Amino acid sequence: MSHKQVVMAGTDTRDLTKLAEYEAVGGYASLAKARTLGPEQITNELMASELRGRGGAFFPTGRKWSFVPSPEQNPNPHYLVINADESEPGSFKDNEIISRVPHRFIEGCLITAHAVLAKHVYVYIRGEYLGPYEILVAALEELKQRPDLRGDVTIVVHRGAGAYICGEETALLDSLEGKRGQPRTKPPFPAIAGLYASPTVVNNVETIATVPAIVEMGGAEYAKLGVPNSRGTRLISVSGHVERGGNYEVEPGISLKDLIFAPELGGGVPGGRAVKAVIPGGSSTVILTGDELDVGYDFDSLLAKNTAMGSAGVIVLDERVCMVQLGIRVSEFYEHESCGKCTPCREGTRWMTQILRKLEAGEATERELDLLLSVCDRINGKCLCPLGDTAAMAIASYVAKFRDEFVAHLDGGACPCGDHSPLDGVLAPVAQHIHDHASELVPA
Amino acid sequence: MGVALFEKIQEIRAIYPEGTQSALLPALRLAQEEYGWLSPDALREVADALDVTPAVCKSVASFYDQFHLEPVGEHLVEVCTNVSCALYGAQQVLEAFQDELGCRAGETSDDGKVTLSTIECLGGCGWGTIVAVDHHYRTGVKPEDAAAIVKELS
C-alpha cells in the first residue's frame, strides 16, 4: 500500500537538505506564490485546508493566525515562534522533518511570517537536537546567499537546554525570553501578548512544514486528504515492540492495527508476540489495550475511545510488559519534568511515583491503590498547563484498563509478568542520584 | 579567555531585541563550553556580560538539565531510558556502560574522562536505544557496543 506524502515528499529519491535539490523539486515556488497573495488570502487557504496543529493540541492553524491583531490595533512587532522542542516520549517526527526537509520547513516559516505580518522568526529547538540544529543552521546559511527568498525576514534558531515543559507554548516563550521555562497564566494568549508581550504565533514544526503544500495545492484540495477533523497527512512515530520503528507519513483514518502490522509500516511485533497495550499519541495519552486496535488513527475515532492522537507517537508494548513498571517509568518522567509552579503537579507526580514503587515492591494495600487514583484526580484539571493532567490521566488509565494486574501486586503479591518485563529495574534520570536510597523514597 | 567570552556574548546579545534577556541561555551554553561546567565564577562572568545578577543566572541555569552546576567529565555519555528505549533494552545498555566505565549513572569515571548519565526521551524512539555521546546521537545501541564507544573516548 502506498501512502500520500506531503511533508516528506521527494525525500525517497533526493537529498532535500540541499537548497538546489529542493528547488529542483519545485521548492520555494509556494513562497513565490504566497507573496503574490495577501496575508488574509493565505490565512483563508489555511482555514479551508482544515489544518490543525501537529504539536498535540489540534488547534486549527488558520484560526490561530486569524487572532493576530492588525498593526493598527497593536503597533508592537509581530513574532512567529516555531515550537521545535519535541520532547514527548514516543514522538520523533520533528527531528526527522528538520533533518531531511529543512528547506520545506524554512519555506513554511517564510510563508507563515508573511501571513501573520512577522519580520522575526524564532525557531526554539530542544537543546538535545544537535544534529537537526546543525542541519537547519546549514540550510539557513544557504539562504543567506538568496535575498530573493529570504526577503526582509530574519530567522533565529534558539536552542533550549533540556526541559520537557518548554514544549508548552507559554513556557517556551518564557524560556525564549531567557527565564526559567514555566507556563504562564492564560489569558492573555500569545496571539495578543506572547513573546516580549507582543502578538505572537506559535506553531509546531510539522504544522509549518505542511504550509507550502497547502499554498501550492490550495486549501480545499488539501482538505480532501484524511478524514473529517483530521485532514491532510500526519507523520506518525512508531516505536517500541515493532519490527520497523520509524516515522511514517499517512493519512489519518488508517487503522491503528495497520500502523502496527502493515509490512511497509510497523511490520508487526518481533517474535510474533501479542500486543498487550498501545500508547497512541505519546506518553501523555490514555492507553489502549491489545483488544482496542481496531480503531481509526484520527482525532474523532481516538476521542471516542477517550484518548488522543497527541503528537502522534505510537508506542507498542508486547505481552511481557508489566503495567505497574510502565506506570513507574512514565510517572518518573513527569515527576522529573514538572516545572514546579503548580503544587498539584509538582507534589502529585512525586506521590504517584512513590505509590507505584510501593505497589511494584508488593508492599501496597488496596487503600493505596485507591490513594493513587485519588492523587491522579487531585492533579487533573487543577494546574496551569496540561503536564500534570496528562500524567494523571495516563496513569489512571493503566489502572482502569489493567486493574487485575495492579491488584495482583497488592499485599505481597508478585508481578504476573514474572522477571520477564523489559521495563524491570529501568533507571530513570530522576532516580540516578539516589541509587542506594531508592527504598527511602517509599512512604512508611 | 574572559574577554573572548565577553565579546562572544555581546555578539549573541545583539541578535535579540534590546532590553531583553533572551541571550541568557545561549550565553550560559557558551560559558559551559568554555569551562566545562557553570562554576560560580562562570555564572558571574555571564552575569557581568548581560547586566544581570549571578543569582538570575543560577536560577535559570538550575532549571535546565543540560546545564551543569557541578564539574563533569571531559566527555558525556547519556543513555535514554525513557519508555521506548527501555523496551529495546536501554537498562542493559546502561549497565554495560557502567561496567566499562567503572562508575554508576550520575557519576564520572575515576580518570575524570567520562560522565555517565541516564536522560529522558531524546526523540529518537524508533531507532533506540539512543545514546548521546557528547550530544551526538548513536542509534540502535546494544550492550556490546559500549566497549568500543568508551574506547573512542579514552
Side-chain angles (χ1 to χ4, degrees), chain A residues 141-155:
Chain A
E141 271 307 302
E142 284 189 291
L143 211 67
K144 270 191 186 161
Q145 318 303 321
R146 295 290 299 276
D148 58 316
L149 298 177
R150 201 167 21 98
D152 55 356
V153 175
T154 59
I155 301 180

Side-chain angles (χ1 to χ4, degrees), chain A residues 283-284 330-331 334 349 352 376 379 386-396:
Chain A
S283 69
S284 297
V330 169
S331 179
Y334 292 100
T349 49
M352 286 181 350
C376 291
I379 299 170
L387 187 149
D389 297 348
T390 53
M393 285 192 284
I395 299 295

Side-chain angles (χ1 to χ4, degrees), chain B residues 14-74:
Chain B
I15 295 171
Y16 298 94
E18 229 179 301
T20 72
Q21 197 177 293
S22 285
L24 184 48
L25 256 63
L28 289 168
R29 188 180 286 282
L30 270 183
Q32 181 163 285
E33 281 167 6
E34 182 84 31
Y35 300 112
W37 65 294
L38 293 172
S39 64
D41 284 346
L43 290 172
R44 199 164 302 121
E45 262 193 70
V46 172
D48 289 345
L50 290 176
D51 299 320
V52 294
T53 65
V56 166
C57 292
K58 190 167 181 182
S59 95
V60 171
S62 62
F63 186 81
Y64 298 92
D65 286 349
Q66 289 197 312
F67 293 132
H68 308 297
L69 294 169
E70 302 284 339
V72 289
E74 279 171 50

Side-chain angles (χ1 to χ4, degrees), chain A residues 162-350:
Chain A
Y164 169 77
I165 189 59
C166 292
E168 196 281 333
E169 63 179 7
T170 60
L172 185 154
L173 294 173
D174 261 23
S175 179
L176 181 49
E177 290 181 2
K179 303 170 188 162
R180 294 162 70 87
Q182 294 185 312
R184 301 173 180 175
T185 311
K186 294 191 271 192
F189 289 90
I192 307 303
L195 184 64
Y196 313 130
S198 298
T200 304
V201 169
V202 186
N203 280 140
N204 165 264
V205 170
E206 185 183 355
T207 309
I208 289 298
T210 306
V211 169
I214 291 171
V215 170
E216 184 198 336
M217 64 171 79
E221 199 59 28
Y222 181 83
K224 288 179 183 166
L225 298 168
V227 292
N229 277 329
S230 306
R231 293 303 185 188
T233 63
R234 273 200 86 165
L235 254 81
I236 298 170
S237 305
V238 182
S239 70
H241 290 143
V242 285
E243 290 284 359
R244 291 162 37 89
N247 291 308
Y248 301 105
E249 186 171 4
V250 298
E251 290 176 54
I254 187 173
S255 91
L256 180 57
K257 199 172 218 169
D258 281 345
L259 269 174
I260 298 166
F261 288 99
E264 78 280 11
L265 302 172
V269 181
R273 293 189 190 93
V275 175
K276 181 170 187 174
V278 175
I279 293 173
S283 69
S284 297
T285 54
V286 163
I287 204 162
L288 294 171
T289 68
D291 298 330
E292 295 178 295
L293 306 185
D294 278 320
V295 58
Y297 196 78
D298 61 82
F299 184 84
D300 288 345
S301 303
L302 288 167
L303 187 64
K305 298 251 182 215
N306 292 317
T307 188
M309 281 173 95
S311 51
V314 174
I315 307 175
V316 180
L317 306 143
D318 77 20
E319 56 196 351
R320 299 168 301 162
V321 177
C322 167
M323 289 295 135
V324 177
Q325 289 174 357
L326 175 70
I328 292 174
R329 190 61 200 81
V330 169
S331 179
E332 280 174 323
F333 170 73
Y334 292 100
E335 178 190 344
H336 181 82
E337 300 297 347
S338 174
C339 81
K341 189 165 183 170
C342 309
T343 310
C345 171
R346 183 187 65 237
E347 303 300 323
T349 49
R350 196 178 158 86

